[in-house]
Amino acid sequence: MNVNNLMAELERKHPGENEYLQAVREVLESIEEVYNQHPEFEKAKIVERLVEPDRIFTFRVTWVDDKGEVQTNLGYRVQFNSAIGPYKGGLRFHKAVNPSMLKFLGFEQTFKNALTTLPMGGAKGGSDFDPTGKSNAEIMRFCQAFMLELWHNIGVDTDVPAGDVGVGGREIGFLNGMYQKLARKYHTGVLTGKGETWGGSILRPEATGFGALYFVQHMLHLAGKKLEGAKIAISGFGNVAWGASKKATELGAKVIAISGPDGVVTIPNGMNEEMIDYMLELRASNRNIVAPFAEKFAGTTFTPGKKAWSVKCDIALPCAFQNELNGDDAAELLKNGTWCCAEVSNMGCTPEAIHAFQKAGILFAPGKAVNAGGVATSGLEMTQNCMHISWSGKEVDEKLHFIMASIHDACVKFGKQKDGHIDYVKGANIAGFMKVAQAMLEQGVL
């Protein structure tokens, strides 16, 4: 395999799809050496098949707003790879959603799901619908219209969507209700992230953030460091940032900064339980700003136009969006003495930022390993639905601990360098790739 030649061909076939091309290059550069040690992969053209999705559905979503005006959005489902199990991946409702974004997310999801130890393939979907400022009735009508177009192409043993940015428990409820009405299949578990009273898993809203902190704990333990007392900066204030803030605080760390599109709030003494609960209120308000946080809590300071990475911290946890932490942000963090960065968002750091962290020798781990706790718990929800049982929070948390420890072990196994340093990017990519590639090889050319 020659990465540059493969990328040149992909760029020719998919011009302008920057997020997707970035994600593919990062993985291919990590696995090139190992891949070339397996001539059977090259003969079966595993990489050439793996970088292209199995199929993409694109559809129009037409709905009526509260003013009676007809609105039209685009909907998508990218079914990327099902070599190790049914397609699994979230739905994202955001005005920036496009095929490139969803292909990148589906590609990443394939390896992330492989790392979880659960039998799940990779997929992603969503729409350029913007839920910000919409009423519950408008969101319900949009979700119903979206599912009207999607339902034929999903199923409990085929493709199981979940939530993502802009799609929480409310949206999953509306989507699931419409699916049941159309398919006449009740409580089969075709969507995950459901309410606890109708098949949802305990801890699912917190799982991505909780799992991320469990992974960071393992990183720090191996490096001879402790989470207790560490100062953490976090971006975002949705479920992921909330779960990360909650678990970090429980484990004795101090969350001293959170940021949103409008700026950053500095919290010198670290977040407390009341502040963590208020993050959910901010998210529910659909205002997408953090400034009210500083107005509500004395001793905190809001700085408009700044990111969380402008605040001096030990650990940086990007929890919002792809490429949210760039090379300049990385330089600022390093200058301020940050010694660990873990992507909790998907591809949260640009290549320039990752290279800066790796060159500086600080602890860094990619999203496909760090944030896999969310989809892992979705996989556990699928299992509970199929078995028609419900596990306690303690049981789910124990399984999440095991999965995140297993992911860390796999990263160490494939990422350990000759000098003893752990390259978590390389480790995660190789571990996920080897599992998917072997499954593809054993199932023939499809």
Side-chain angles (χ1 to χ4, degrees):
M1 173 179 66
N2 183 295
V3 172
N4 289 332
N5 289 345
L6 277 168
M7 290 307 304
E9 178 62 13
L10 275 182
E11 288 164 9
R12 184 191 66 78
K13 291 166 66 177
H14 307 287
E17 297 190 357
N18 297 327
E19 298 101 333
Y20 162 64
L21 294 170
Q22 177 187 334
V24 171
R25 178 176 286 277
E26 188 250 311
V27 170
L28 295 188
E29 288 178 344
S30 293
I31 68 169
E32 183 175 15
E33 183 180 351
V34 171
Y35 185 88
N36 288 334
Q37 295 171 4
H38 291 269
E40 68 274 21
F41 291 165
E42 182 66 27
K43 183 178 180 181
K45 294 292 186 287
I46 293 293
V47 158
E48 287 84 350
R49 292 155 55 193
L50 186 53
V51 299
E52 297 283 3
D54 290 347
R55 64 194 63 84
I56 301 175
F57 301 106
T58 304
F59 45 91
R60 187 188 74 234
V61 184
T62 301
W63 57 285
V64 180
D65 66 19
D66 287 345
K67 297 177 182 178
E69 295 181 3
V70 176
Q71 302 290 337
T72 298
N73 290 96
L74 286 175
Y76 308 92
R77 187 63 175 171
V78 179
Q79 294 178 336
F80 218 101
N81 189 287
S82 62
I84 64 172
Y87 300 106
K88 185 81 187 80
L91 297 171
R92 177 173 291 196
F93 293 168
H94 191 279
K95 58 187 176 183
V97 163
N98 58 36
S100 173
M101 179 188 292
L102 296 178
K103 284 167 69 177
F104 126 63
L105 290 167
F107 181 73
E108 290 279 294
Q109 196 78 45
T110 299
F111 302 110
K112 181 193 306 184
N113 291 0
L115 287 170
T116 66
T117 74
L118 302 174
M120 300 183 294
K124 211 71 178 182
S127 173
D128 58 359
F129 170 76
D130 185 2
T132 304
K134 302 293 193 301
S135 70
N136 280 345
E138 287 175 321
I139 289 174
M140 180 183 72
R141 288 194 291 273
F142 173 81
C143 288
Q144 290 172 342
F146 183 90
M147 185 54 74
L148 185 63
E149 300 300 325
L150 180 65
W151 75 279
H152 285 291
N153 300 306
I154 61 175
V156 67
D157 294 316
T158 307
D159 184 350
V160 182
D164 194 77
V165 174
V167 179
R170 172 184 56 180
E171 290 77 16
I172 291 294
F174 294 149
L175 291 164
N176 191 79
M178 190 61 171
Y179 176 82
Q180 290 187 159
K181 186 174 182 67
L182 293 166
R184 296 193 176 185
K185 294 179 180 179
Y186 300 98
H187 303 292
T188 59
V190 75
L191 288 154
T192 57
K194 300 183 292 298
E196 288 182 24
T197 57
W198 46 283
S201 175
I202 296 173
L203 291 187
R204 177 59 191 93
E206 303 96 325
T208 303
F210 277 27
L213 268 297
Y214 297 156
F215 189 94
V216 169
Q217 267 192 313
H218 286 291
M219 288 176 69
L220 268 55
H221 177 74
L222 193 61
K225 294 180 176 290
K226 291 184 177 180
L227 188 61
E228 187 176 0
K231 295 180 179 179
I232 299 179
I234 289 178
S235 62
F237 51 95
N239 274 349
V240 176
W242 166 68
S245 299
K246 184 178 176 69
K247 183 54 65 175
T249 302
E250 286 178 6
L251 296 174
K254 287 187 175 183
V255 178
I256 49 87
I258 60 167
S259 65
D262 56 331
V264 60
V265 175
T266 307
I267 313 156
N269 296 321
M271 294 186 74
N272 57 35
E273 188 173 342
E274 185 182 0
M275 293 175 178
I276 293 167
D277 290 342
Y278 186 61
M279 291 178 73
L280 291 182
E281 291 184 39
L282 278 176
R283 182 186 184 279
S285 71
N286 278 334
R287 294 168 68 189
N288 283 347
I289 54 175
V290 295
F293 198 98
E295 297 170 8
K296 183 174 178 65
F297 297 105
T300 65
T301 305
F302 173 69
T303 306
K306 287 287 189 179
K307 300 180 181 180
W309 327 129
S310 63
V311 180
K312 188 173 182 178
C313 64
D314 300 313
I315 300 171
L317 299 179
C319 296
F321 222 66
Q322 71 263 12
N323 290 329
E324 58 177 296
L325 196 161
N326 60 35
D328 291 338
D329 299 324
E332 188 167 17
L333 285 167
L334 292 171
K335 182 181 177 182
N336 285 334
T338 298
W339 43 261
C340 177
C341 176
E343 290 180 324
V344 192
S345 52
N346 291 302
M347 205 166 74
C349 298
T350 65
E352 293 77 17
I354 295 172
H355 293 154
F357 291 143
Q358 291 178 325
K359 184 178 179 181
I362 75 166
L363 293 170
F364 175 79
K368 63 172 63 70
V370 179
N371 70 26
V375 72
T377 305
S378 285
L380 297 177
E381 183 177 327
M382 291 168 63
T383 302
Q384 293 175 80
N385 292 163
C386 289
M387 297 171 66
H388 300 288
I389 61 171
S390 180
W391 291 322
S392 68
K394 182 175 182 292
E395 289 174 299
V396 174
D397 197 40
E398 286 173 350
K399 289 175 171 60
L400 179 58
H401 267 286
F402 171 79
I403 290 169
M404 297 313 296
S406 299
I407 294 172
H408 183 264
D409 290 346
C411 291
V412 172
K413 175 183 176 181
F414 288 100
K416 192 169 186 177
Q417 306 300 294
K418 292 179 181 179
D419 62 359
H421 173 73
I422 308 301
D423 185 335
Y424 283 95
V425 174
K426 193 171 185 178
N429 286 336
I430 294 175
F433 167 78
M434 290 298 288
K435 184 172 181 179
V436 176
Q438 192 62 38
M440 291 175 68
L441 190 67
E442 292 175 7
Q443 294 176 56
V445 179
L446 300 172

